[in-house]
Amino acid sequence: MSDTISLAAARLQQQVPAAEARIDDAIIAASSLMTSVVTARRDTPGVPAVKAQSTIHRIARLQTVLVGASGDALRIHGELADIARETGGLDLHECPAIAGAGDAAMAATS
């Protein structure tokens, strides 16, 4: 494997999981925000429930978008692992979940 491929693989092996973790952090933050907004709406006397409804709806949409982004990140991870396997840029021991899936797929085609 060339040094260029090794460097790219090493960089991606750090960046992809980091991106996945940051998306998870954003999902957690949005969920915490939702809890705080709904709790504040419920617990604030004299404020009609309708006042925060649009905000709650926007947070729910935000959560949906983030969950979609999380799924996309996981698909990206799988696609990059496939590319690495094809180019010899991945030591299968470094990505056990992907390596196991690849082994099962290879066994099915044999």
Side-chain angles (χ1 to χ4, degrees):
M1 168 172 36
S2 75
D3 287 341
T4 303
I5 293 174
S6 295
L7 290 172
R11 189 171 40 252
L12 289 168
Q13 286 171 347
Q14 291 178 351
Q15 290 176 344
V16 171
E20 291 168 343
R22 287 185 180 118
I23 294 168
D24 286 346
D25 290 343
I27 292 170
I28 292 166
S31 296
S32 295
L33 178 60
M34 175 69 88
T35 300
S36 294
V37 169
V38 173
T39 301
R41 179 179 75 167
R42 182 196 65 197
D43 294 346
T44 304
V47 176
V50 74
K51 279 291 188 185
Q53 189 61 28
S54 63
T55 301
I56 292 167
H57 189 257
R58 284 187 180 92
I59 297 169
R61 284 192 310 209
L62 172 64
Q63 289 173 312
T64 299
V65 168
L66 290 170
V67 170
S70 177
D72 286 341
L74 293 172
R75 283 186 284 285
I76 289 166
H77 192 150
E79 290 168 0
L80 289 171
D82 289 345
I83 292 168
R85 226 183 333 274
E86 292 169 8
T87 61
L90 174 67
D91 178 358
L92 292 180
H93 301 289
E94 295 171 1
C95 193
I98 299 297
D103 293 344
M106 291 173 102
T109 59
S110 299

